[in-house]
Amino acid sequence: MTELSKDIMQLLEWLGYFGNDPEGGVTRLLYTKEWLEAQKALEHWMNTEGFDVHFDEVGNLFGGLQGTKYPNETIMTGSHVDTVRNGGLYDGQFGIVAGLLALKHLKETHGQPLRSLQLVSMAEEEGSRFPYAFWGSKNIVGTARREEVENISDFDGIAFVDAMRDCGFHFRNESATIRQDLKAFVEIHIEQGSVLEKEAKSVGVVNNIVGQRRFTVEVTGEANHAGTTPMGYRKDAVQAASAMICDVINRARVHGDPLVATVGKIEVKPNVVNVVPGHALFTLDIRHTEKSMLVQFTEEITTALNQIAKDMNVGLQIDMWMDADPVPMDTRIVEVIEQQCKEIGLNYKLMHSGAGHDSQILAGLTPTAMIFVPSKDGISHNPAEYTDPYDLAEGVKALIGTLYTLAYEE
Amino acid sequence: MTELSKDIMQLLEWLGYFGNDPEGGVTRLLYTKEWLEAQKALEHWMNTEGFDVHFDEVGNLFGGLQGTKYPNETIMTGSHVDTVRNGGLYDGQFGIVAGLLALKHLKETHGQPLRSLQLVSMAEEEGSRFPYAFWGSKNIVGTARREEVENISDFDGIAFVDAMRDCGFHFRNESATIRQDLKAFVEIHIEQGSVLEKEAKSVGVVNNIVGQRRFTVEVTGEANHAGTTPMGYRKDAVQAASAMICDVINRARVHGDPLVATVGKIEVKPNVVNVVPGHALFTLDIRHTEKSMLVQFTEEITTALNQIAKDMNVGLQIDMWMDADPVPMDTRIVEVIEQQCKEIGLNYKLMHSGAGHDSQILAGLTPTAMIFVPSKDGISHNPAEYTDPYDLAEGVKALIGTLYTLAYEE
């Protein structure tokens, strides 16, 4: 293992100690003791490295190197410090660790940058403790609203506000101006999919984050006795739902990449072996890099499902409860990353992100792009999350080269 | 409403008082206080009518009129006294009430029969309190085994044995000879389906009770991130299960009546909106009046499901955990019932039963047949269970005529 790979692994394990869960993996939820310990430990580390360190009001941690020529232009990197319950060592953490090592390396090798360089350890992205995601990045870009979290609590009934205050943080002043110094954000993250692994690539250069639409589809038939109701008398909600699921997924396959359609959840009522089900509900998650395709596919399946419901004589209710547009990454930064990959000789692939990331929020404020490293077997949000240390180092090299270009070159 | 309809309704409501549930309907589970009160009240009523009354060891209640010429040949009618939780006024009860009124009428009109006539209020059929069904009828025919219930308990942890003993009953002597006097059993019951209602018939003459096979079908794919896993990389257990469900149900429809196939229960793992499901399980309940068709359909769908699993690259496990053969009703008794329907001028239909009944157990010991009356909207096992009092009376007329032929004629 190279020195860089070793350094990365050592830091990942060090950071993963905060929230090390006896039931497996890392559980480091927003505004918990483990979370605060991790942020404080990172603060200490950044101080040791000689970065200019500060927390913002809500607990995002920043550590920077001031620019010698353009101190008011900031190139930022980093990711989120929170994890899901029983998460792995890489999701979020790796972006922070990689940034830490990149800034350290750049400072040691090239001294102070022309533009300010900043590492961020964002407070929250996963939405795992409270029903709110991207709390960290949304506070940076100024779209988080006090009233959105004022009345939410975690599973133990602890109010968001109390948890935040107990950690020593408080709401951002929403009337204050949003920072104007950010000129670029580059986030390195695990892919959380198996595309890089399957194509044997070490690095992904992300040019787009998919848009998502999520639906609940409710099918209403008629509950009947499984023995005494001839097939011709039935309004079988499960039969109709199954036909709909087959139809939607087949249509998605016909359209092909990058469209994905997933039926992740099914609920049947009464859900007993000897009753023809009167009610079936399923969720549908569709994603694509082009908004127009999301709109078109929504129309296509709405028509198709209504036709099936009509043919099968069941009621149908389609409810879209999430509609997030795709977020294209900044073309110039994508080019810089790609150029660096070529110069260093990395085995890379231009790709989109099928998962959501802090970058999609930051992109609303500043030019943004992402670097991916492979996820073994596509696994994430799980103690079994793993990336080969070789690939981790390849990713950090791409990050270092990119940050150098953005912060050290005219 | 005719006098007969009024008498039936009055008795149904009287009997339904025992176990009248504040949450709706009737809850009269085996060996509960309500159950014992109902049996004791029926015992009292039968005594009042001058029947020869006795309980067997396990709590089946019998009340009879001795035959003048063939006292050792018994024609029996009746049904089960237990209900499901929040059951209706008709399921089981009606067979007892109808038998009571039939015997009373026959005795008052024609005096003692040539053959003995007996009413039975069977202890248990539903399997609603303990995981054991047909406890009443299986004790009559001698197939209930002590060891099958010795270690079972209800949801509150009360042992079957304790509940039975607390009601004053105990195990049948399994080495004793089974009664040899039974020459016929005729059970009247609600249809629990909507065939009679849809075809506007008052009475069903049952010529067969369907056989049933029940399966659990387990599909094993691979859980994956809904956003980062292209369609081509997926092993989607829900997509495969949906294709299988469509296939099985379509095949059942192609075969046509009396085949029915029901997927009543689906369980998906992890069952969250943004994960391609790695695991799906569904139950399959198939019924037909011919065993050969159950066997043939089982083979057909086993081949078809395995082909789908192969095509979709998922694992498949098909587990058959119930295999009950069809039970044809006794041809002679079916003819007697049909003849009576014709003579009385009833609006009847020859049909099979898609549900299980005590009659399928009794048929193992003695020639057996059933009479159905309609179920409004096919509803049963529910407080909304309902049969028009007119149809109830038509059913009782068919029963009276049948019992007269069997017990009073040479």
Side-chain angles (χ1 to χ4, degrees), chain A residues 233, chain B residues 191 193-205 341 346-351 372-376 387-388 390-392 394-395:
Chain A
Y233 289 177
Chain B
E191 181 199 343
S194 56
V195 172
L196 290 174
E197 183 184 49
K198 288 222 162 89
E199 303 192 15
K201 303 284 183 187
S202 291
V203 170
V205 179
C341 288
L346 302 180
N347 185 17
Y348 80 98
K349 174 188 168 66
L350 210 60
M351 67 188 294
F372 273 171
V373 291
S375 294
K376 184 168 165 28
T387 307
D388 190 307
Y390 173 84
D391 294 327
L392 293 174
E394 297 291 272

Side-chain angles (χ1 to χ4, degrees), chain B residues 10 17 51 72 96 116 130 135-136 151 166 174 203 223 231 238 240 274 296 307 309 317 339 343 348 356 393 408:
Chain B
Q10 205 173 358
Y17 173 78
F51 299 169
N72 296 326
I96 299 167
S116 294
F130 300 98
W135 175 244
N151 297 311
D166 286 348
E174 292 184 10
V203 170
M231 300 308 282
V238 155
N274 57 349
Q296 186 194 316
Q307 188 57 49
Q317 175 91 19
Q339 189 57 37
E343 281 182 18
Y348 80 98
Y408 286 81

